[in-house]
Amino acid sequence: MQYIKVDHTGSVATLTLDHGAKRNALSSQLVGEILEALDNLRAKEVRVVVIRAAPGAKVWSAGHDVGELPEGRRDPLGWDDPLRHVVRALETQPYPIVAMVEGSVWGGACEFVLACDIVIAAPEAAFAATPAKLGVPYNVSGMLTFLNAAPARVVREMLFTAQPISAVRACDLGIINHVVPADEIEAFTYELADQIAKNAPLSISVMKEQLRILAGAHPMSPQGFERVQGLRRQVYDSEDYREGIRAFKEKRPPRFEGH
Ligand code: LCV
């Protein structure tokens, strides 16, 4: 494993995102290593997994690897996109996943964190949902992850402004579970993980799956789905989408023209 570290003591395991040079961007390689590690841990009868960045990281994850986004004419967040794979994996592991967040969380990494079962953050942490900053059409299941984690009005503010919200505000709104000072967050997180690990794993894994099924039980007519897909195609086929990607790569502010 080049971009993550896996530690496993007893029934609690830890995945540490460790690609600081790229601010733990969710590249296909980093995501592939997470998926492999989660699969291996299932076989080891782990009862809780903590996902964190390296201690003291200023950036928990910079989100989707922008360099891996298509430059147009193709859905940037389709079923087989690494971000979609890892969100589905987090939601379907048969054990709770606890995100321990120090540092800033960007774009698809926000969804990654919100797809975890429990989120504990240091006060300095912040969460920025950034599709509008890049001109990206977020996808339906991703939007549902946000709507299942935050009040719709807050989701709109996060998505439309693309500005970070603080861990304290996110906790006040019930979007995350706890804000704990950075020098106490490890002890707090593992004490909570141990509490979970002492309980009945079968009961917990079935309740987790029930909650996933219920959270996804939002009827959408075939027409509604086709309309959404058509609207999203207008976005990823737009000049603004290409400009957002180009501006990121050229390290300059984007100039969006609305087409
Ligand atoms: C590839 C990166 C990235 C990165 N990809 O360090 O949600 S959606 O729809 O928008 C979805 C499509 C998505 O998640 O898009 C990505 C959204 N992410 C962002 O907008 C965050 C982009 N990154 C930043 O704003 C900064 O990198 C932060 C604030 C995270 C950290 O700033 P800092 O000054 O500490 P640098 O910007 O210098 O980045 C260090 C290296 O990581 C790369 C970046 O290109 C640079 O590489 P080089 O040293 O080769 O130049 N990097 C950072 N984020 N998302 N690569």
Side-chain angles (χ1 to χ4, degrees), residues 73-91:
R73 307 273 177 241
R74 192 161 59 82
D75 189 338
L77 292 174
W79 177 260
D80 266 332
D81 179 80
L83 176 63
R84 303 307 338 139
H85 274 289
V86 76
V87 167
R88 288 196 298 269
L90 294 167
E91 291 172 339

mmCIF file of all heavy atoms in Angstrom, residues 73-91:
data_model
loop_
_atom_site.group_PDB
_atom_site.id
_atom_site.type_symbol
_atom_site.label_atom_id
_atom_site.label_comp_id
_atom_site.label_asym_id
_atom_site.label_seq_id
_atom_site.Cartn_x
_atom_site.Cartn_y
_atom_site.Cartn_z
ATOM 1 N N ARG A 73 -17.888 15.719 -22.212
ATOM 2 C CA ARG A 73 -18.505 14.684 -23.056
ATOM 3 C C ARG A 73 -18.636 13.340 -22.351
ATOM 4 O O ARG A 73 -18.944 12.334 -22.958
ATOM 5 C CB ARG A 73 -17.698 14.460 -24.371
ATOM 6 C CG ARG A 73 -17.458 15.734 -25.151
ATOM 7 C CD ARG A 73 -18.618 16.042 -26.105
ATOM 8 N NE ARG A 73 -18.424 17.322 -26.811
ATOM 9 C CZ ARG A 73 -19.265 18.353 -26.695
ATOM 10 N NH1 ARG A 73 -20.301 18.263 -25.893
ATOM 11 N NH2 ARG A 73 -19.072 19.487 -27.334
ATOM 12 N N ARG A 74 -18.323 13.271 -21.052
ATOM 13 C CA ARG A 74 -18.483 12.001 -20.327
ATOM 14 C C ARG A 74 -18.860 12.342 -18.884
ATOM 15 O O ARG A 74 -18.335 13.293 -18.313
ATOM 16 C CB ARG A 74 -17.162 11.201 -20.355
ATOM 17 C CG ARG A 74 -17.323 9.747 -19.889
ATOM 18 C CD ARG A 74 -16.154 8.870 -20.356
ATOM 19 N NE ARG A 74 -14.871 9.347 -19.857
ATOM 20 C CZ ARG A 74 -14.407 9.086 -18.636
ATOM 21 N NH1 ARG A 74 -15.163 8.413 -17.783
ATOM 22 N NH2 ARG A 74 -13.237 9.510 -18.248
ATOM 23 N N ASP A 75 -19.771 11.555 -18.334
ATOM 24 C CA ASP A 75 -20.202 11.822 -16.964
ATOM 25 C C ASP A 75 -18.989 11.738 -16.021
ATOM 26 O O ASP A 75 -18.345 10.701 -15.931
ATOM 27 C CB ASP A 75 -21.269 10.776 -16.551
ATOM 28 C CG ASP A 75 -21.908 11.128 -15.215
ATOM 29 O OD1 ASP A 75 -21.286 11.879 -14.433
ATOM 30 O OD2 ASP A 75 -23.025 10.650 -14.974
ATOM 31 N N PRO A 76 -18.669 12.833 -15.308
ATOM 32 C CA PRO A 76 -17.491 12.823 -14.448
ATOM 33 C C PRO A 76 -17.693 12.051 -13.147
ATOM 34 O O PRO A 76 -16.741 11.752 -12.437
ATOM 35 C CB PRO A 76 -17.270 14.308 -14.146
ATOM 36 C CG PRO A 76 -18.615 14.933 -14.291
ATOM 37 C CD PRO A 76 -19.346 14.153 -15.327
ATOM 38 N N LEU A 77 -18.961 11.749 -12.837
ATOM 39 C CA LEU A 77 -19.232 11.044 -11.565
ATOM 40 C C LEU A 77 -20.191 9.898 -11.821
ATOM 41 O O LEU A 77 -21.226 9.762 -11.175
ATOM 42 C CB LEU A 77 -19.793 12.033 -10.536
ATOM 43 C CG LEU A 77 -18.804 13.103 -10.044
ATOM 44 C CD1 LEU A 77 -19.502 14.120 -9.149
ATOM 45 C CD2 LEU A 77 -17.630 12.475 -9.294
ATOM 46 N N GLY A 78 -19.838 9.068 -12.782
ATOM 47 C CA GLY A 78 -20.710 7.946 -13.128
ATOM 48 C C GLY A 78 -20.548 6.785 -12.153
ATOM 49 O O GLY A 78 -19.737 6.826 -11.226
ATOM 50 N N TRP A 79 -21.319 5.745 -12.409
ATOM 51 C CA TRP A 79 -21.356 4.591 -11.499
ATOM 52 C C TRP A 79 -19.963 4.071 -11.175
ATOM 53 O O TRP A 79 -19.657 3.729 -10.040
ATOM 54 C CB TRP A 79 -22.202 3.486 -12.149
ATOM 55 C CG TRP A 79 -22.284 2.209 -11.359
ATOM 56 C CD1 TRP A 79 -21.555 1.069 -11.571
ATOM 57 C CD2 TRP A 79 -23.125 1.951 -10.231
ATOM 58 N NE1 TRP A 79 -21.884 0.107 -10.621
ATOM 59 C CE2 TRP A 79 -22.861 0.615 -9.801
ATOM 60 C CE3 TRP A 79 -24.091 2.711 -9.528
ATOM 61 C CZ2 TRP A 79 -23.501 0.032 -8.702
ATOM 62 C CZ3 TRP A 79 -24.748 2.135 -8.440
ATOM 63 C CH2 TRP A 79 -24.447 0.804 -8.039
ATOM 64 N N ASP A 80 -19.087 4.039 -12.177
ATOM 65 C CA ASP A 80 -17.768 3.410 -11.987
ATOM 66 C C ASP A 80 -16.677 4.397 -11.588
ATOM 67 O O ASP A 80 -15.501 4.054 -11.575
ATOM 68 C CB ASP A 80 -17.342 2.678 -13.273
ATOM 69 C CG ASP A 80 -17.755 1.201 -13.178
ATOM 70 O OD1 ASP A 80 -17.827 0.702 -12.020
ATOM 71 O OD2 ASP A 80 -18.035 0.577 -14.209
ATOM 72 N N ASP A 81 -17.063 5.623 -11.251
ATOM 73 C CA ASP A 81 -16.049 6.592 -10.817
ATOM 74 C C ASP A 81 -15.501 6.158 -9.440
ATOM 75 O O ASP A 81 -16.255 5.627 -8.615
ATOM 76 C CB ASP A 81 -16.716 7.974 -10.711
ATOM 77 C CG ASP A 81 -15.721 9.022 -10.249
ATOM 78 O OD1 ASP A 81 -14.937 9.492 -11.092
ATOM 79 O OD2 ASP A 81 -15.707 9.314 -9.039
ATOM 80 N N PRO A 82 -14.214 6.354 -9.189
ATOM 81 C CA PRO A 82 -13.637 5.914 -7.903
ATOM 82 C C PRO A 82 -14.421 6.425 -6.695
ATOM 83 O O PRO A 82 -14.669 5.697 -5.737
ATOM 84 C CB PRO A 82 -12.211 6.495 -7.917
ATOM 85 C CG PRO A 82 -11.885 6.688 -9.344
ATOM 86 C CD PRO A 82 -13.182 6.961 -10.065
ATOM 87 N N LEU A 83 -14.872 7.687 -6.756
ATOM 88 C CA LEU A 83 -15.614 8.254 -5.618
ATOM 89 C C LEU A 83 -16.907 7.473 -5.386
ATOM 90 O O LEU A 83 -17.263 7.175 -4.230
ATOM 91 C CB LEU A 83 -15.934 9.727 -5.886
ATOM 92 C CG LEU A 83 -16.793 10.437 -4.827
ATOM 93 C CD1 LEU A 83 -16.078 10.482 -3.478
ATOM 94 C CD2 LEU A 83 -17.180 11.844 -5.289
ATOM 95 N N ARG A 84 -17.585 7.102 -6.467
ATOM 96 C CA ARG A 84 -18.830 6.342 -6.309
ATOM 97 C C ARG A 84 -18.534 4.953 -5.716
ATOM 98 O O ARG A 84 -19.257 4.477 -4.853
ATOM 99 C CB ARG A 84 -19.565 6.182 -7.638
ATOM 100 C CG ARG A 84 -19.937 7.420 -8.376
ATOM 101 C CD ARG A 84 -20.707 8.488 -7.661
ATOM 102 N NE ARG A 84 -21.471 8.214 -6.501
ATOM 103 C CZ ARG A 84 -21.493 9.049 -5.448
ATOM 104 N NH1 ARG A 84 -20.743 10.132 -5.445
ATOM 105 N NH2 ARG A 84 -22.229 8.772 -4.406
ATOM 106 N N HIS A 85 -17.455 4.356 -6.175
ATOM 107 C CA HIS A 85 -17.097 3.024 -5.633
ATOM 108 C C HIS A 85 -16.842 3.113 -4.131
ATOM 109 O O HIS A 85 -17.340 2.297 -3.352
ATOM 110 C CB HIS A 85 -15.832 2.502 -6.331
ATOM 111 C CG HIS A 85 -16.098 1.771 -7.616
ATOM 112 N ND1 HIS A 85 -16.686 0.533 -7.671
ATOM 113 C CD2 HIS A 85 -15.863 2.129 -8.902
ATOM 114 C CE1 HIS A 85 -16.790 0.141 -8.938
ATOM 115 N NE2 HIS A 85 -16.307 1.096 -9.699
ATOM 116 N N VAL A 86 -16.084 4.143 -3.725
ATOM 117 C CA VAL A 86 -15.673 4.163 -2.301
ATOM 118 C C VAL A 86 -16.851 4.553 -1.406
ATOM 119 O O VAL A 86 -17.007 4.019 -0.301
ATOM 120 C CB VAL A 86 -14.446 5.088 -2.090
ATOM 121 C CG1 VAL A 86 -14.791 6.563 -2.105
ATOM 122 C CG2 VAL A 86 -13.720 4.713 -0.797
ATOM 123 N N VAL A 87 -17.744 5.410 -1.888
ATOM 124 C CA VAL A 87 -18.919 5.756 -1.073
ATOM 125 C C VAL A 87 -19.797 4.523 -0.886
ATOM 126 O O VAL A 87 -20.232 4.210 0.228
ATOM 127 C CB VAL A 87 -19.712 6.919 -1.709
ATOM 128 C CG1 VAL A 87 -21.096 7.080 -1.063
ATOM 129 C CG2 VAL A 87 -18.925 8.231 -1.576
ATOM 130 N N ARG A 88 -20.004 3.769 -1.977
ATOM 131 C CA ARG A 88 -20.813 2.545 -1.845
ATOM 132 C C ARG A 88 -20.137 1.558 -0.895
ATOM 133 O O ARG A 88 -20.798 0.913 -0.075
ATOM 134 C CB ARG A 88 -21.028 1.890 -3.217
ATOM 135 C CG ARG A 88 -21.975 2.636 -4.133
ATOM 136 C CD ARG A 88 -22.450 1.775 -5.303
ATOM 137 N NE ARG A 88 -21.369 1.355 -6.171
ATOM 138 C CZ ARG A 88 -20.964 2.047 -7.255
ATOM 139 N NH1 ARG A 88 -21.515 3.218 -7.535
ATOM 140 N NH2 ARG A 88 -19.999 1.593 -8.031
ATOM 141 N N ALA A 89 -18.811 1.494 -0.958
ATOM 142 C CA ALA A 89 -18.088 0.549 -0.081
ATOM 143 C C ALA A 89 -18.244 0.959 1.381
ATOM 144 O O ALA A 89 -18.531 0.130 2.258
ATOM 145 C CB ALA A 89 -16.619 0.494 -0.469
ATOM 146 N N LEU A 90 -18.133 2.241 1.650
ATOM 147 C CA LEU A 90 -18.269 2.710 3.043
ATOM 148 C C LEU A 90 -19.658 2.382 3.579
ATOM 149 O O LEU A 90 -19.844 1.959 4.717
ATOM 150 C CB LEU A 90 -18.042 4.229 3.107
ATOM 151 C CG LEU A 90 -16.634 4.714 2.774
ATOM 152 C CD1 LEU A 90 -16.637 6.236 2.572
ATOM 153 C CD2 LEU A 90 -15.648 4.313 3.865
ATOM 154 N N GLU A 91 -20.650 2.548 2.715
ATOM 155 C CA GLU A 91 -22.053 2.348 3.146
ATOM 156 C C GLU A 91 -22.393 0.871 3.320
ATOM 157 O O GLU A 91 -23.320 0.520 4.043
ATOM 158 C CB GLU A 91 -23.005 2.976 2.120
ATOM 159 C CG GLU A 91 -22.939 4.509 2.085
ATOM 160 C CD GLU A 91 -23.733 5.097 0.941
ATOM 161 O OE1 GLU A 91 -24.019 4.378 -0.051
ATOM 162 O OE2 GLU A 91 -24.094 6.292 1.039
#
